[in-house]
Structures are given as C-alpha cells and as structure tokens.
C-alpha cells in the first residue's frame, strides 16, 4: 500500500536536455578550457595556474618537501552546513507512521473488544443487523490489521525493480487515481484548468522515453526471477503480477476504511440496537458495548483516511517528493531513488520504532544499495553517490562518508572492471565518484592502497595498439572512437583524471609506474598530430585527453628520490614519449598549455643522463625548443612557455658534450647572447651559455669564441643586479673570461665601463652578503670564487686588490660554512643531482693559496 501510494502520484517532471558526459568531464577538469573559440584570457589563466603550481622554484634550486610537489588536489573551502533535503521525507514518514500506528492500535483494540466483549458476551443477544455489521467490520479491519506485514512485503517487492515495464504499467494504472486527484486540485486551484492539455502529455511522454532509454541499459538477472515480475497465475499475467497486486491492495485499503466509516456511522446515528426488557440483565450493557465498538471502528477508519488525505496532500498537491528531488539535484531519473528512499524510511517507522526512519540519510542509503546484488539497486546507489559527490553543496559530506568506509571504496574500484555495455552507467558513475574521492588528499592512499586498484583504473584506458608481426616492429596505434552503445572516450578521460589526482602523492607514483602496461597506455594518449593541434574546430575533449595525459606524465617525471629516478627511466624508454612531445612543440602553437607541460616533461626527464642523450638525439627536439625560446613574436602571456623552454635547454646542455655540440650546430649563439638583454630571457639564456662553455669539449672551443661578445652585458649585470640573475651572470662570467686573453678582457672591461677594482669589490661584497649558503642562490659563492680565481690568474694586480678588500677573511669564512647545498648543479626536490667536479672547499683553498703565495 505504501509504495503503491508513492507510485500513484501525478508527477510532472521538468526535463532538461540530456547531459553530455564529455562536457561534464571537461567542467570537472579545473582550467580545462582549451577550445580555440574561447577568449584569450582563459589561456592566460591556465598558464598562470601552471606558473603558480610550479612557483618560482626550478630544478636549479633545492625545494623543501612541501614545495617539491605542489598539486591541484581539490581543497574546496568548507561550505556552510546545509540541512539535508531527505530530512523532509523522514519527518513525513514519522508523521505518517504516527497516524498508521494510532489507527492500527485503535483497530486492534476494537477487534479485541468485538471478539471478547460483543461476540463473546452478547453473541446470542445481538440483533441480526448488529451481528452482521460487527462481523463485516471485523473481517475488513481484521484482515487489514493482521495482513499489514504481508501488505508491506507486497509493496516492497512491487517497487524494488522499476524497469521500463514497471514504469509503463505505473503510468497506465495511474490514470484512475489521477482523475480524482485532478478534480480535488482544481477545486483548490482553479487556475490549473487553464493549462494546455497537450503540454503535460508531451512532458510525460518525453520522460517515459528518457527513463526507458536509461533503464534499458541496466543489466537484469538471467537465471533468477525479478520478484516484481513474477506471474502468480498462468492467466491474466498483467493483472496478477506482484507489482500490480500492491495497487489492488491500495484501493482495497481505501474501500475498507470507507466501508467502516459508513457502517459504524450508520449504526451510531440510528442508535437502534433493539429493545432491552426490564430486568433483562444479559442485555443491560449491550448498548454501551456497541457504542464503544462502533466508536472505535469509526475512529480507526477516520484516522486511516486522515493519513491517506495527509499523504495525498503532501505528495500530490505540495509535491514533496519533487521538491526533495530538486534539492538533491538528482534530475528526472532521481524520482525513482527518492521514492525508494521514502518507502524504506516509512517501512522502518511502521515496522519498528517510529523513530527508526529518522536515522536514514541518502548517502548511507545509496551505499547500502551499491553493495546489493541487484543491478537496479546498484544503478540507483551509483547515481545517488555520483550526484552527491559532484554537487558543490553535498560533496564534502558525501566524500567523507565514502572515504572512511573502505568496503565502499573497494566496491567502487571493483566496478571499474565491469565492461558489460549494460553496466556502462554504473561503471561511469563509479569512476566519477573515485575521481572526486582521489581529489581529497586524505583519500589518495586509501584508493591506491586497495589491491588491484591500479589495474582496475588502467582498465578504463582504451588504447588499441595492434601487435606487431615480429619482434623487430611495433604495432600501429588505432584510434578508438565511441561506439553507439559505449562511450570509450568518457572512460579514457576519467581514467586519466583519477590517475592524475592519485599521482599527487609520491607513493602512488611508484605504484603507477609498477603497474604492468600502464605507462605505455598513458604515453599513447600524449600523441597529438598536426591535424589535431592546428584544427580550429577540434573537439575540446580531444585536447583535454592530451592535456590530462601530459599532466600525469609531468607529475610522474617530477617525482623525487629513487622512485622518480626509476619512473624517468621507464618513461624515457617508451619509444613514443619524446617523439610525441616533439610533435606538440612543433605544431602546438595554438595550445601553449600543452607546450608548457611537454617542455616540463623534457626538463624532468633530462635529470637522468641517459634520458638527456635520448632527448638530444631525437631529431628536431632541440630545434623546436630554441624556436619557442627565441620567438620574439609570441604573445606576452606565453612568456612562461618561453622560460620553460630555456630551462629545458639549459638542462639538456648540462654535462652533455653531444648536446652542446648539437646546439652549437644550430647556430644560435648570437641570438642567445642577444637574449641576455631581455629581462624575461636573461636568466635562462645565461644558464644555457654557461653550460655550453663548461661542457662543450675541446673540439668546440673555437665555435664558442663568439661568446666573448656577451662580456660587457654580463659585467653590467653583476654590478647592478642581485639574487638569481646575479648568480647566473657571475657563473657565466667565470666561463666567458676563460675564452679571452688578458688584452681581450681589458677591452671588455672598457666597453662595459667597469674597472677590475670595481668588479673585485662587488665579488667581495657578494661573499659578505652570503656568509651562509642560500637555497635561493645555492651556487653564488662558488661562482664568485671561480671568477675571483680567474681574475687573480689573469692579472697579478688583482691579487693585491682582493687582499686590500679583505677577500682572505671572507674566504676563510666560506671555508667554515660550506655545505652540501653548494655541491650540486641541479636538484630533485631536496636531493642534489649532478655534483660539481671540484668541491667548493678546494676552490677556496686554491683562492687562498693564490693570495698567500703572491
């Protein structure tokens, strides 16, 4: 009866256009607007976000543990506490159960009164009319009271599998009750008569098609019966389906209550129970007993009808279910979920304590459904959790409840492996929930810690690379497009999104790298050909796929420690990694965000010597990096891309004679020297030039002879700048002057308008300023001492100048404060890489010996 009442509602859905899963995923990705039709400021915002994520730190500086890995894990500010919409339903269920239990109590009391007092004490003396009235009332009410549990069972079975057939039959049977309800509503709201009759019909038809289309994809059991579809009799199957019997019981309930009101009222009004002879003690109390019985029956029936009237008022007229559904943001299909939740709450209040239903909430309800073996229940549970997880109002509370329940997380991970097309929506919902769950830092390890989680997430990624004909070739990658009945690209996006959020944790990066076949899959998604990158009408989802895969690879490549070293080796060994990045650098001028991510990947991979040689040996990579770095025509908002390209080139030239030779063959030396004049390029250009001078090898000495033209600019910068720019210029000067004779160096000092005494004073002041190593400029003291040593070797007068300036004292101070921080060229987090061949204390001793010997 209860659930039937829920079904017999005149529900009017307001159906928006069906959501596009791909567009939803694009909105889920923060800053993912890469479409060429969007305004330029969106691109600027993306590049700013990338810049803020990386901060001002680079691999040339050590980073603390909190700075080493900034990630865009969601940290949504705490939203104000909102009242759960389902509280309205549980409160409604509580009030209904009070009516129901009160009516049932009165009915039970009346039944006992009739059987014990009337039929037991006055059975012989009752008039024929009262006897049959009492008998009929007892049969009606007794059947209703003692069959209550069975009635609820019928209703339960009738509503726990609402498939397309169930919905259609519900629509068909609803028409009879709809006429009555419509008449009542028109009495209270005459304006409803003005509505166009065709609008509601069209609306309901659209909803029917929507529901049927969605539910057709749900898997139904093949080896067992669905309880609501069981034909109880071989004939008249539609009438005798269990889900339709509950509808019959609903109307029988109303008829029985109405009959009780009519019968009991008639007898109470007539008050004709037969004459009692004077002195007849057997019939003395008969009238009072009958009055009590008919009053109890009338009160019970009126309470029951009051309950029904309150039910119909709240559900049909006030549209309570639609209101809660709207507040829960569950959409048109959510009405099924709301009905089931309400029915469960009402059943608990009726069958147990009236307060049992108040303990229910939608999230716990959905979690219980998710663990069910019924496909329909699984789908409803997944839909509710998905919607609550992506809702700005309810996501925090929902994700907290899911995150602390390990069995639920395991269930969601398990669902990622469900590849049956009929289970597509369940699988997609589970993936979306996990993508939101992984965005919370405290849940990252929980998700990744589940056995087989990475393999399950990997199953979302579909890259169809055919196997080669032999060991001497690799299969060709075939693009998998969405099938008519399955959205492969949606799952690709979700898989990459989950992995990207998990990769924010260092330990998870190791698990991703150790998952068999996962890295090649990820790198396959970084492929973007010329047609894709230059097409003005390219689908945003395709660019989003490339972006997410690049973000993921960038996170993996930037991992620190032994795990990072292993990952960089694995990534660089995939033969498509560098060539895919080269294509983005070459053709991706319309997508600077993709270019910046690609360049950062190269920079991180170049931390490993073997990968550094692979990158430099891949045709066109160095050329494309210089094209970006030296491109004066790039918009100002893309300067961050140019700066990243410069850092990548500096890394590739570090300790690599082959790469230095390749760079010099590109004939970019003059343009690099010119770059020292531009504020945005100065630091990176100086680093590239210094590494070229340091690691070029003896065979390239004359190719670098032109670098002496940079000396005046370098000297001016040393005298006027400070911090990072001063550090790189001092380091460059120490190498540039090695390519000059004493006469040439004197000429350069004159061109710069700076005397050697002034430079010497500036160097001493640098050592005075940095009495202890600085994490921001870890090499400035080393470079200063190197330049001072060259000056003392170049001109004996400089020795006396340094002595007079107190250089000896400063050097002794450096000797007392040297640290490992000053021993490395680059850093991976707080771990130093590429140790300098000469220790800083050896440089100090050399400088002191020069001062003392002279």
């Amino acid at each position: 009866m209860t659930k039937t009442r829920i079904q017999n509602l005149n529900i009017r859905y307001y159906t928006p256009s069906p959501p596009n899963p791909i567009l939803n995923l694009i909105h889920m990705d923060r800053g993912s607007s890469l479409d060429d039709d969007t305004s330029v400021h969106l691109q600027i915002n993306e590049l700013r976000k990338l810049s803020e994520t990386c901060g001002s730190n680079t691999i040339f500086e050590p980073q603390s543990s909190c700075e080493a890995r900034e990630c865009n894990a969601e940290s949504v500010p705490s939203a104000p506490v909102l009242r759960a919409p389902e509280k309205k339903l549980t409160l409604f269920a509580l009030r209904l159960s009070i009516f129901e239990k009160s009516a049932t109590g009165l009915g039970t009391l009346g039944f006992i009164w009739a059987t014990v007092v009337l039929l037991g004490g006055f059975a012989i003396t009752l008039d024929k009319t009262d006897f049959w009235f009492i008998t009929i009332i007892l049969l009606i009410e007794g059947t209703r009271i003692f069959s209550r549990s069975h009635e609820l069972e019928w209703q339960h079975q009738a509503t726990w599998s609402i498939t397309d057939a169930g919905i259609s039959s519900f629509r068909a049977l609803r028409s009879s009750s709809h006429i009555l309800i419509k008449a009542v509503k028109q009495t209270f709201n005459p304006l409803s008569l003005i509505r166009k009759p065709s609008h509601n019909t069209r609306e309901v038809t659209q909803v029917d098609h929507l529901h049927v289309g969605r539910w057709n994809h749900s898997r139904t059991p093949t080896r067992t019966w669905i309880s609501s579809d069981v034909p109880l009799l071989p004939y008249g199957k539609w009438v005798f389906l269990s889900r339709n019997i509950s509808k019959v019981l609903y109307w029988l309930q109303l008829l029985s209550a109405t009959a009780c009101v009519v019968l009991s009222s008639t007898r109470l009004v007539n008050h004709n129970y037969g004459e009692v002879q004077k002195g007849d003690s057997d019939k003395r109390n008969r009238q009072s007993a009958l009055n009590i019985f008919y009053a109890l029956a009338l009160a019970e029936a009126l309470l029951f009808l009051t309950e029904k009237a309150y039910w119909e008022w709240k559900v049909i007229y006030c549209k309570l279910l639609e209101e809660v559904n709207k507040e829960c943001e569950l959409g048109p299909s959510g009405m099924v979920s709301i009905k089931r939740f309400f029915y469960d709450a009402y059943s608990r209040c009726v069958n147990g304590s009236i307060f049992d239903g108040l303990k229910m909430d939608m999230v716990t309800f959905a979690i219980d459904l998710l663990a069910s073996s019924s496909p329909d229940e699984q789908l409803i549970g997944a839909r509710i959790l998905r919607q609550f997880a992506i809702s700005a109002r309810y996501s925090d509370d929902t994700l907290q409840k899911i995150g602390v329940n390990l069995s639920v997380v395991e269930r969601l991970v398990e669902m990622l492996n469900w590849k049956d097309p009929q289970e597509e929506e369940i699988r997609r919902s589970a993936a979306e929930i996990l993508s939101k769950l992984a965005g919370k830092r405290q849940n990252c390890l929980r998700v990744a810690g589940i056995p087989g989680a990475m393999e399950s997430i990997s199953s979302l990624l579909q890259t169809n690379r055919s196997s080669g004909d032999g060991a001497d070739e690799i299969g060709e990658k075939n693009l998998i497009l969405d099938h008519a009945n399955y959205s492969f690209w949606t799952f690709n996006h979700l898989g990459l999104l989950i992995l990207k959020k998990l990769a924010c944790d260092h330990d998870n990066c190791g698990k991703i790298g150790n998952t068999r076949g996962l890295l090649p899959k990820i790198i396959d998604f970084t492929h973007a050909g010329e047609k894709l990158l230059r097409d003005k009408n390219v689908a945003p989802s395709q660019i989003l796929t490339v972006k997410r895969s690049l973000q993921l690879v960038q996170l993996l490549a930037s991992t620190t420690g032994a795990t990072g070293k292993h990952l960089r080796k694995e990534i660089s060994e995939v033969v498509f990694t560098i060539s895919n990045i080269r294509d983005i650098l070459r053709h991706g001028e319309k997508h600077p965000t993709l270019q910046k991510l690609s360049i950062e990947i190269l920079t991180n991979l170049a931390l490993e010597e073997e990968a550094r040689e692979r990158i430099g040996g891949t045709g066109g990579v160095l050329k494309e990096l210089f094209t970006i770095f030296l491109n004066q025509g790039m918009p100002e908002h893309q300067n961050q891309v140019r700066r990243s390209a410069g850092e990548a080139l500096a890394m590739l030239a570090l300790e690599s004679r082959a790469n230095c030779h390749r760079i010099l063959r590109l004939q970019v030396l003059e343009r690099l020297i010119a770059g020292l004049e531009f504020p945005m390029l100065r630091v990176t250009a100086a680093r590239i030039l210094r590494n070229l001078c340091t690691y070029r090898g003896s065979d390239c000495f004359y190719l670098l002879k032109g670098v002496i033209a940079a000396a005046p600019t370098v000297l001016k910068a040393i005298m006027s700048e400070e911090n990072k720019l001063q550090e790189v210029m001092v380091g460059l000067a120490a190498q540039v002057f090695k390519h000059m004779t004493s006469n040439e160096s004197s000429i350069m000092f004159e061109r710069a308008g700076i005397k050697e005494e002034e430079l010497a004073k500036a160097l001493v002041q640098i050592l005075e300023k940095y009495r202890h190593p600085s994490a921001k400029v870890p090499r400035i003291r080393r470079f200063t001492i190197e330049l001072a040593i060259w000056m003392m070797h170049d001109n004996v007068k400089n020795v006396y100048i340094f002595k007079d300036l107190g250089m000896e004292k400063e050097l002794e101070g450096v000797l007392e404060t040297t640290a490992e921080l000053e021993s490395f060229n680059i850093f991976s987090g707080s771990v130093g890489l590429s140790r300098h061949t000469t220790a800083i204390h050896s440089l100090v001793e050399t400088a002191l010996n020069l001062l003392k010997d002279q």
Side-chain angles (χ1 to χ4, degrees), residues 675-699:
L676 296 176
E677 302 287 347
F678 295 95
M680 193 275 298
L681 303 179
R682 299 178 77 180
V683 173
T684 46
R687 280 180 177 149
I688 296 171
L689 287 171
R690 183 185 184 280
N691 288 342
L692 288 175
C693 294
T694 306
Y695 306 108
R696 78 283 188 269
S698 57
D699 54 335

Side-chain angles (χ1 to χ4, degrees), residues 707-776:
V707 79
I708 62 176
T713 303
V714 172
L715 289 172
K716 292 177 182 178
I718 293 174
M719 302 301 296
S720 59
E721 303 295 340
E722 56 184 11
N723 298 327
K724 189 180 299 184
L725 180 57
Q726 187 180 50
E727 178 195 44
V728 295
M729 289 301 184
V730 172
L732 177 58
Q735 298 299 324
V736 167
F737 283 117
K738 291 180 180 179
H739 290 77
M740 305 182 197
T741 62
S742 296
N743 291 333
E744 288 174 333
S745 63
S746 300
I747 294 172
M748 292 302 164
F749 275 102
E750 290 179 5
R751 286 183 182 177
I754 298 172
K755 297 180 180 180
E756 294 188 34
E757 292 85 352
E758 295 174 342
L759 178 61
K761 183 178 180 181
L763 296 180
V764 174
Q765 288 175 345
I766 290 174
L767 294 180
E768 289 176 352
K769 180 179 179 181
Y770 297 100
R771 295 188 181 277
H772 299 277
S774 171
K776 292 295 182 183

Side-chain angles (χ1 to χ4, degrees), residues 97-107 300 303:
S97 66
I98 293 175
F99 280 112
E100 179 68 32
K101 288 199 169 187
S102 299
T104 302
L106 287 175
E300 186 271 338
L303 270 176

Side-chain angles (χ1 to χ4, degrees), residues 373-388:
S373 59
S374 166
D376 286 346
E377 295 176 16
Q378 293 167 356
L379 179 58
I380 289 179
R383 281 176 174 173
I384 295 173
L385 288 181
R386 173 198 168 275
Q387 188 57 45
F388 276 38

Side-chain angles (χ1 to χ4, degrees), residues 604-637:
N604 286 302
L605 292 179
L607 290 171
E608 308 304 323
E609 182 180 355
E610 190 176 347
R612 204 177 302 152
E613 299 302 325
R614 281 199 182 100
I615 295 169
T618 301
V621 174
L622 292 173
K623 180 181 178 181
E624 297 303 331
L625 286 173
F626 271 110
T627 300
I628 295 172
F629 178 62
L630 300 173
N631 184 3
Q632 298 293 338
M634 291 184 73
E636 185 177 352
H637 69 270

